[in-house]
Amino acid sequence: KIGNYAFSGCSSLTKITIPSSVRSFGSGVFRGCSKLKQITIETREDKEINLKMIDNEFLVGKSNETNETNDQYNILHFVIPNSKTLKIPTSIEIIGDYSFSESTTLKQISIPTSVTQIGIGAFNGCTSLVEISIPSSVTQIKKSTFKGCSSLTKIEIPSSVTEIGKSAFKKCSSLTQIS
């Protein structure tokens, strides 16, 4: 297991190899690792791996709620912070805690309707993010989700959202429109 926030703040980390012995992955493991550009996951034919990379950008895994025999990688743990525009894969149901945190180059993101949960601080410190639309499949915006998104000007919040957490939009100094 790699525990919560294990490499958080390792701002000079550029690459990491995750051994095949890792079976679970905590929250915010790579929070603030803004220079991380390469994640390699060791594989073994005799061992099921619960993590994988999609398109060399998305580190995904199987959520704890998922049956271990399920082959669906449905939780997004981390995104390599090098893109201006991202489209989250439709297999993703959970955007993990701090998964996009401090992705300062990210300007646009497309969240599919498959997403039902957005984790704590998921977009915290995404200072270039300008606009975001939350799908109607999401029911709550957790604490610090968009905290420090200083370029965010517009956000669409569907009527399905029944709870907005503490500091969810704190320091969103450019926010002019919420619909």
Side-chain angles (χ1 to χ4, degrees), residues 46-169:
D46 63 334
K47 195 168 203 169
E48 181 183 356
I49 304 296
N50 287 332
L51 297 170
K52 74 175 183 175
M53 291 296 294
I54 296 177
D55 298 331
N56 291 320
E57 282 187 311
F58 302 99
L59 175 62
V60 298
K62 297 178 183 179
S63 71
N64 293 337
E65 295 99 34
T66 304
N67 183 333
E68 284 192 31
T69 61
N70 186 340
D71 286 334
Q72 185 173 352
Y73 291 84
N74 64 345
I75 184 167
L76 177 61
H77 288 295
F78 182 73
V79 177
I80 300 289
N82 61 358
S83 295
K84 290 183 179 185
T85 304
L86 284 174
K87 184 176 182 179
I88 296 174
T90 56
S91 62
I92 300 302
E93 296 172 2
I94 301 166
I95 297 174
D97 295 352
Y98 301 101
S99 53
F100 289 88
S101 182
E102 300 174 41
S103 293
T104 57
T105 59
L106 183 63
K107 288 186 176 197
Q108 274 187 317
I109 185 143
S110 176
I111 301 175
T113 57
S114 58
V115 172
T116 58
Q117 296 178 44
I118 300 175
I120 296 168
F123 298 96
N124 180 34
C126 292
T127 55
S128 296
L129 187 61
V130 175
E131 186 176 316
I132 194 160
S133 179
I134 297 171
S136 60
S137 51
V138 175
T139 59
Q140 67 176 195
I141 298 172
K142 294 190 177 180
K143 71 178 184 177
S144 302
T145 299
F146 297 100
K147 182 179 178 182
C149 293
S150 56
S151 297
L152 188 64
T153 59
K154 179 181 177 185
I155 187 162
E156 293 180 32
I157 302 173
S159 59
S160 60
V161 173
T162 59
E163 183 181 334
I164 296 177
K166 180 180 178 180
S167 301
F169 298 98

